[in-house]
Every structure is written in structure tokens, then in C-alpha cells.
Amino acid sequence: MQPGEIKHHLKVFWKLLEISFMTKMAFRFNFLFGYLIDIGWLLFTLAFFKVFYLNVSEIAGWDYGEILVLLGVYWIYQSLIYGVVVIHNLRRLPLRIWNGELDFYLLKPLNSQFLVSCKEIWFPIFLNLIPAVIFIFQGMGITERSFNLSQILAFLVTTLAGLLIVYAIWFMAVCVTFFLDKVDNLPYLPQALIDYVTNYPIDIFKTRTRFILTWFIPLAFVTSIPARVLLGQLNSIYALWASLLAGIFIFFSHKFWRLGLKHYTSASS
Amino acid sequence: MSVIEVKNLQKFYQVHKKEPGLAGSLKSLFKRKYENVKAVDKISFSISKGELVGFIGPNGAGKTTTLKCLSGLLYPDDGKIEVLGFNPWDRKHEYLKKISLVMGQKNQLWWDLPPLETFILNREIYEIPKDRWQQVLDDLVELLDVSAILNVQVRKLSLGQRMKCELIAALLHSPEVLFLDEPTIGLDVVMQKKMREFIRVYNQKYKATIILTSHYMGDVQELCDRVIIIDKGRIIFDGQLQEITQRYADHKLIKVIFSKHIDEVKLAAVAEVKEYAYPSAVLRVKRGASNAAAAQLLKSFPVADLNIEEPQIEDIIREVFTGKDLA
């Protein structure tokens, strides 16, 4: 993409955010209720780990403070990935492919993958970024670690790359719809795997699984590795690996999308 | 100058055949029969700048599939398409900015917001300069008479109002080529009329090339000089609307008004009686025999008025599609 096109897409993204805000504001109760459920989940996970750490002092090498940092990163992932791409977009993509609504996305002079991924943003979930940041600071406090600027920078890059990776994996899984008749549950399939792997430290897995989850289905880059980078337990070079993997995964997700589109039949009208 | 060039376009669909009933469903779980359906089978045509062409044909003839191939939504199985010098399937942004596809049964407006919001979003998407956008919008709003509903939630609009707004959303970027798929479907007669007027004005004012598909012959008759008739994925006619009559209608209609009651049996001896309800009758005669039949009517019956007419295009086309020999 040219710089001019990136600017164009950012402008459209901003407009889409505005529109999502307007539509969600029209349903305030829904908005509030949705948020309460999120907070409920957040407290539930926290309680779950708290009970664990009453009995053990560490899980696979992660102590309570470190787990809090991990949970913080997990909630960053949750609010951004679910809010921007999953809830209103990837989950509905199979239906949009099936009923031909995709037509309108393809007709627009925009990158169609961008548009199907970000059209409707469920931004109330962005509020979860607040507890996420609190978790991280609290966790860092408990472990009595301080962080320097380069660590923060490496952390931000790794986190962003991790988000791109998890998005690409999710997106490719949903794109399988193009090759099947109709599969409503497809968007929930990656969710089960991804949420499971990213909610816990990657070290709870055995060596071989961990290796696969780090380099082949690199979900380790979503929460565990950024957390470790921030904690200063992993070298900043991981920011580079993360970016490289993100590039590869985004590239393949786009190829897969183009391949799927060849199989798109649209729905007759 | 030709704006749209289509050569031997082919598009197949794979359809899975299911036997009826629950047993059939269970069977199809394990073993599926697929069948290739030729939606579009080697069609070729070319359309010049500023033309307004009507696509007609029965349901499932391949009209919509052709439009979707032309707008880059579907990947053709074979053949070549060029629109404005682009291959539609590449969906180059410059190409998409020059075309528009309006589907009467689908909508792109945001349901929970007033139409104006969608228009503003499209301004960003199509990168339309603000003053140009305002100018086109004012123009379209006036033509379609929708200034009162621009700020009303789309979900609260009537079908006709929504369709007008759909059109605006599709036209804000002033497309050079416009594909209209059943733009009047579901609209009442008055609204259909207005929509047709608008399409004509738009075609003239913006010099846009337009392909229109419709079930309503009225749309096509009123708007298009040239029609392309598609049936079972093939083009069976491409030419001026009037030519259809000459080519396919082997008969004419004689409409008579009698001044006194007549013997119906005698009338049937002159020509095939299509309708008879005193005082009027409609007779069907062979093309070459109409003058002789008319003369005989005037001689043998108390005729108050008599007209020889071409059959309705709609009727001809219906006959064409119901499998009459086309040779």
C-alpha cells in the first residue's frame, strides 16, 4: 500500500469509529449491560488465579505479579481484537459471505480485507483497556520491577505485532467459509483455541507444543512473550521476531482472502 | 467508443442436489451430488458510452450474474471482460470509483442511522472533494425529492424512500458506468414511474452508461432503446426494442368496436378471436393477412371502429420464453 492509501484507510477507519459510536449510543442500556458483563468476566478470571496462588507460589515459572502482567496483556488483546475485528465483523463474516452482503464490501474502492475486518467496531469493550493497564502496573509493582524506555518500546511493538498475528490467524480460519457450504460455528472455533492459549502462560505447555505455539501458530506472541518482554525476562530482539511473523501472517491472510474471493458466488438476488 | 466489452463470458455455479425430505437430508450428509449450472454461457456484447441498455430475461436467466461479473464481484470461469479499460476482477480502486452497482433487494445504508451518515461515509470512502460531494448531493436530493428524510433513521423509512436513498448512496461519486439490478422491484406504480424518470435524467445529465435489469417490461420499454434478452445463460436477442416485434411476432392484432350485436361464430370464421365482449373484440391474424381480414370485417360486420396493432412487446417476450420456436 502507498502512504496515500494508508492515510485514506485511516480516515475511513476514523469515520467508521464515529459511526459505531453514534449507533451504540442510540442503545445506551445495551451498551452499559455489555460492559458490565465484560467486567464480570474480568473479575471472574482474576478470582480464578487468586485462588490458584493461594495454593501455589508459581505456575510454570510465573508468580502472581507476573500473571497479573500477563492478564493485563490478555485484556489488551481482548478489548482490541474483539472490539475492532471479532464481535461485529469476523463473527458475521460467514453470514455475509453466505447471504451475499459481502457484495457491498467488495464494491468499495478500499482494501476489502480491511473493510470486512473493521466495518463495525464494538468500542464499549475498549473500556477494558483501563483495567488492563491497572493490572500491568499492579503486577509490575508486586514483582518489584521497574521498566526502562526501550523495554516499553519493545513491549509495545511486540504487543502490536501479536495483535496482527492473532488477527491473521482468526481471519484465515473464518475465510475457510468460502470453501464450505455454510458453517455458522466457524468464527467460534479459533476463539476456543486462541482464548485458551492466550489466557495462560505459554510455559504451561510441554516443549513441543510450546515450540509450535511460538513459531508456527505463534499465539505465544499475543500475551506471554509481550509480558515477558515487559518484565525484562526476554530480550528486545523478540520485538523483531514478532514483527517478522506479523508481516508473514498478514501477507498470507491476504493471499488466502484473495483465493477465497475466487470461490465467492454471491447470493442471487 | 465502447465502454463495456464482453467476450465469451462464462460463469458456472456448483449446486448440490438434495433429495426431498428428511431422508434426503441425511443421505446428503454422507454423499453429495454436485451439478454444474451454467449461469452464464459464452455471452458476448459491447456497449458504447452513454447507452442505456436493458437486460431482460426470466428469473435465473443470468442477468444478475452478468452484472456481478461486470462489477468485479464474481470471478468469471472463462472469457474476457473489459469495462472502461479495466479488468473488473482486479477491482482496482480507480475502477471501483468509476462504477456503481445498485441492487433493488439489498441495501448498503446503515440501518440505525439517518441516510446522511452513509452519504458522509461514502464521501470518505470514495475520496470525493467536499464541495463536489455537496453539489452532487444537492442535485440528487432535488431530483429524487428526499430533502425531508435525510435526517430520519433508515429503519423508519418506507421502501420507496429507502430505495431513493440507496440510489443517492450509489451515485454520489458520479459513476461513469452504472449497473442497476431490478431498481424498481417492490415499488408502487407512482414510485416506479418516478424512478424511471430519474434514471433517464441521470443518464442524460451525467452521460452515464447504464445497464438495467428488470422484470417489468415497463421499465425497459420506457427507458431503453436497446435491449439484450438473456435466457438460460445465453443471449437470444441483442438489438433495438422495435426489432423484437418484427422478428418474433408472426401475427398482428385487430381491435374492433361493433355498432350492433354480431354472431360470434361468424366472427370466428374470419380470424382467431382472442377476446370478445360486446361491443369490442380482439382478433389475432397472421402478419401478411391483416389487411384482407380487416377488409372482410368492414364488409360483413357493423363496424364502428377498427385498428390494426402490433402485439405488446411484453406478450411477445413471454411467448419467446415459453419455448416457442425462435427460428
Side-chain angles (χ1 to χ4, degrees):
Chain A
M1 257 202 249
Q2 307 291 317
E5 276 187 62
I6 293 175
K7 197 176 148 209
H8 177 207
H9 283 74
L10 284 175
K11 272 174 104 173
V12 172
F13 183 72
W14 182 250
K15 189 71 213 161
L16 289 171
L17 260 177
E18 261 181 55
I19 286 185
S20 302
F21 189 76
M22 283 186 275
T23 48
K24 296 302 171 306
M25 272 317 182
F27 307 98
R28 277 169 305 172
F29 184 72
N30 201 3
F31 182 112
L32 191 71
F33 193 66
Y35 187 57
L36 284 178
I37 288 184
D38 282 339
I39 288 296
W41 261 112
L42 191 82
L43 294 175
F44 176 77
T45 350
L46 191 62
F48 174 78
F49 276 107
K50 199 126 202 179
V51 170
F52 246 83
Y53 280 98
L54 287 177
N55 299 291
V56 293
S57 60
E58 61 173 49
I59 300 171
W62 294 66
D63 63 29
Y64 183 60
E66 290 163 345
I67 280 288
L68 277 183
V69 175
L70 180 93
L71 281 182
V73 184
Y74 176 76
W75 281 91
I76 291 178
Y77 144 73
Q78 277 262 319
S79 53
L80 292 180
I81 288 295
Y82 276 67
V84 179
V85 297
V86 172
I87 293 181
H88 282 332
N89 300 297
L90 295 191
R91 272 188 194 159
R92 293 180 186 174
L93 188 55
L95 183 69
R96 284 174 182 157
I97 292 171
W98 189 74
N99 70 14
E101 198 190 320
L102 188 62
D103 291 354
F104 286 117
Y105 297 74
L106 300 178
L107 284 169
K108 298 283 186 287
L110 287 172
N111 180 310
S112 52
Q113 185 179 352
F114 157 79
L115 198 57
V116 295
S117 303
C118 321
K119 191 191 173 209
E120 279 179 66
I121 296 150
W122 174 246
F123 73 93
I125 204 174
F126 292 170
L127 285 173
N128 291 353
L129 287 172
I130 301 167
V133 172
I134 295 174
F135 275 26
I136 291 174
F137 274 96
Q138 216 187 349
M140 292 302 274
I142 291 172
T143 56
E144 291 173 352
R145 283 202 181 80
S146 58
F147 28 49
N148 59 39
L149 192 65
S150 73
Q151 237 167 300
I152 295 174
L153 218 63
F155 165 74
L156 290 177
V157 171
T158 320
T159 308
L160 184 69
L163 293 176
L164 291 174
I165 291 169
V166 74
Y167 155 72
I169 292 173
W170 208 311
F171 185 74
M172 283 190 275
V174 175
C175 279
V176 173
T177 313
F178 281 117
F179 307 93
L180 304 171
D181 278 356
K182 185 179 188 232
V183 186
D184 289 331
N185 300 327
L186 211 55
Y188 295 90
L189 196 74
Q191 180 175 349
L193 174 75
I194 293 169
D195 281 359
Y196 174 62
V197 174
T198 52
N199 205 357
Y200 305 105
I202 198 71
D203 305 282
I204 63 170
F205 297 100
K206 287 248 164 60
T207 327
R208 198 183 300 156
T209 316
R210 196 166 65 221
F211 186 74
I212 291 170
L213 287 173
T214 307
W215 301 109
F216 292 100
I217 311 170
L219 293 172
F221 279 92
V222 184
T223 51
S224 292
I225 291 176
R228 286 288 198 209
V229 168
L230 188 67
L231 287 160
Q233 295 164 331
L234 278 181
N235 197 308
S236 302
I237 192 83
Y238 272 88
L240 188 71
W241 297 135
S243 312
L244 214 64
L245 280 169
I248 293 169
F249 271 76
I250 291 290
F251 174 80
F252 278 109
S253 73
H254 191 64
K255 285 279 165 213
F256 198 50
W257 171 243
R258 291 287 297 179
L259 183 71
L261 284 181
K262 281 197 175 184
H263 289 257
Y264 178 54
T265 51
S266 187
S268 67
S269 63
Chain B
M1 192 189 78
S2 117
V3 167
I4 301 174
E5 264 312 321
V6 176
K7 274 219 173 71
N8 294 322
L9 172 67
Q10 275 189 306
K11 178 73 193 170
F12 301 145
Y13 291 124
Q14 243 193 9
V15 182
H16 114 249
K17 291 263 168 189
K18 188 185 89 65
E19 285 164 40
L22 187 61
S25 295
L26 283 174
K27 215 167 147 188
S28 78
L29 261 181
F30 302 102
K31 204 176 162 195
R32 275 195 173 186
K33 277 186 207 150
Y34 286 99
E35 199 173 281
N36 263 332
V37 175
K38 288 180 186 174
V40 174
D41 190 12
K42 287 196 179 153
I43 65 169
S44 306
F45 57 87
S46 92
I47 291 172
S48 311
K49 187 172 166 52
E51 269 195 279
L52 209 172
V53 179
F55 263 35
I56 44 183
N59 285 328
K63 295 169 298 193
T64 305
T65 304
T66 308
L67 288 194
K68 284 181 176 170
C69 287
L70 286 172
S71 45
L73 293 177
L74 297 180
Y75 185 70
D77 286 306
D78 201 8
K80 239 186 101 173
I81 309 177
E82 211 179 271
V83 185
L84 296 164
F86 292 92
N87 174 0
W89 171 250
D90 292 338
R91 281 203 307 281
K92 290 251 167 59
H93 296 174
E94 305 100 272
Y95 176 63
L96 295 173
K97 281 181 181 176
K98 288 178 180 171
I99 65 154
S100 206
L101 169 66
V102 179
M103 290 169 280
Q105 287 161 322
K106 291 185 186 171
N107 47 61
Q108 64 160 321
L109 298 169
W110 288 70
W111 203 242
D112 294 320
L113 293 173
L116 192 58
E117 293 299 337
T118 306
F119 302 159
I120 294 172
L121 176 66
N122 278 10
R123 183 181 76 206
E124 295 295 340
I125 291 178
Y126 285 95
E127 298 181 284
I128 311 164
K130 229 175 190 160
D131 34 350
R132 165 91 191 141
W133 175 84
Q134 191 64 53
Q135 188 194 327
V136 177
L137 180 64
D138 291 345
D139 194 25
L140 294 174
V141 165
E142 200 194 303
L143 274 174
L144 289 165
D145 187 26
V146 286
S147 55
I149 54 166
L150 287 184
N151 287 308
V152 179
Q153 257 191 1
V154 172
R155 58 163 74 246
K156 288 177 184 149
L157 300 179
S158 72
L159 177 67
Q161 291 171 325
R162 215 169 65 216
M163 204 50 222
K164 285 174 167 182
C165 292
E166 284 291 337
L167 262 181
I168 295 180
L171 296 176
L172 278 170
H173 60 288
S174 322
E176 290 172 39
V177 176
L178 184 56
F179 305 114
L180 298 171
D181 192 19
E182 303 278 354
T184 57
I185 203 159
L187 300 183
D188 64 44
V189 186
V190 180
M191 202 58 100
Q192 275 183 20
K193 191 105 189 148
K194 279 189 185 156
M195 211 52 123
R196 286 175 198 159
E197 264 168 41
F198 173 77
I199 293 168
R200 195 199 342 265
V201 171
Y202 187 84
N203 169 246
Q204 283 159 2
K205 196 167 173 183
Y206 288 83
K207 305 275 173 281
T209 310
I210 301 178
I211 298 184
L212 169 104
T213 78
S214 186
H215 277 101
Y216 303 114
M217 260 323 281
D219 286 350
V220 179
Q221 257 174 302
E222 226 175 279
L223 290 170
C224 313
D225 295 325
R226 178 178 164 196
V227 292
I228 294 177
I229 304 181
I230 306 186
D231 190 25
K232 302 193 184 85
R234 288 174 168 273
I235 290 181
I236 57 173
F237 177 85
D238 179 356
Q240 299 301 110
L241 195 61
Q242 289 79 16
E243 277 175 43
I244 296 180
T245 326
Q246 286 149 25
R247 191 146 146 202
Y248 294 120
D250 54 358
H251 65 274
K252 287 194 178 191
L253 298 175
I254 301 180
K255 291 191 174 164
V256 209
I257 308 238
F258 298 108
S259 51
K260 283 186 206 138
H261 279 278
I262 54 124
D263 182 358
E264 218 180 310
V265 182
K266 263 170 128 185
L267 186 63
V270 180
E272 182 191 335
V273 182
K274 271 191 80 181
E275 285 168 38
Y276 176 69
Y278 181 79
S280 65
V282 180
L283 306 174
R284 190 185 146 113
V285 288
K286 281 265 177 228
R287 201 155 254 280
S290 58
N291 285 345
Q296 203 187 339
L297 281 171
L298 288 169
K299 212 172 82 189
S300 331
F301 295 92
V303 173
D305 191 20
L306 183 144
N307 266 317
I308 302 179
E309 289 177 7
E310 294 287 359
Q312 292 283 313
I313 288 180
E314 198 164 356
D315 294 332
I316 302 172
I317 289 171
R318 195 181 314 124
E319 279 180 28
V320 170
F321 289 140
T322 45
K324 236 187 71 173
D325 188 15
L326 298 180

